[in-house]
Amino acid sequence: MQITKTAVSLTVEDVTTSAAYLQRHFGYTEEMSADGFVSLAHPGGGANVVYLRRGLEVLPEDQRHRIADGVILAFVVEDVATEERRLREEGAVITLPLREEPWGEKLFQVADPNGVVIQLVEWAQQ
């Protein structure tokens, strides 16, 4: 199997607000959209993020009314402290302040308007 692209698909109440949040704070751009759907890509690569509106009929019936709950969208960055300051200055609410784990991981979290948790991570140099 050859995988040509990776995407994570998240079901939310309001596709537009989640997409705007990733565009404003994380530099994502819209690749395509339709009613209740948007696919975003980042110029630096990595996984695309797809938002689907809850209740959309293209979703299997047993999944239509679920939302992205318990999912963490994690981005690895080079200077997590600088990113936390930038996001604070931009008005993003930090839901988990910057911390360092015993194994060397530095991280913090924000949540988009639909409650999707976004975690920024910096790994210690080995």
Side-chain angles (χ1 to χ4, degrees):
M1 168 177 49
Q2 180 180 354
I3 296 174
T4 60
K5 204 167 206 177
T6 301
V8 60
S9 181
L10 304 169
T11 304
V12 296
E13 291 290 339
D14 186 342
V15 168
T16 304
T17 59
S18 283
Y21 191 86
L22 273 191
Q23 290 170 314
R24 176 178 180 213
H25 295 298
F26 297 96
Y28 272 75
T29 59
E30 184 179 301
E31 279 197 332
M32 64 181 100
S33 65
D35 182 35
F37 161 85
V38 65
S39 177
L40 303 165
H42 194 275
N48 280 21
V49 177
V50 174
Y51 291 110
L52 299 169
R53 185 181 62 238
R54 186 175 144 201
L56 213 59
E57 289 190 16
V58 298
L59 293 167
E61 191 171 337
D62 65 336
Q63 297 177 23
R64 283 185 195 151
H65 298 287
R66 293 183 183 177
I67 57 170
D69 187 34
V71 174
I72 296 174
L73 185 58
F75 299 130
V76 178
V77 298
E78 292 182 3
D79 186 348
V80 74
T82 297
E83 295 301 330
E84 185 197 34
R85 277 191 303 278
R86 177 186 65 81
L87 286 166
R88 279 186 193 278
E89 289 170 4
E90 291 177 0
V93 176
I94 307 299
T95 56
L96 178 68
L98 185 62
R99 60 192 282 169
E100 186 169 352
E101 301 296 351
W103 52 87
E105 176 185 26
K106 294 178 186 175
L107 63 98
F108 73 94
Q109 294 178 349
V110 297
D112 82 359
N114 284 293
V116 175
V117 177
I118 301 169
Q119 178 172 293
L120 275 72
V121 179
E122 178 182 351
W123 292 101
Q125 299 289 337
Q126 298 288 329

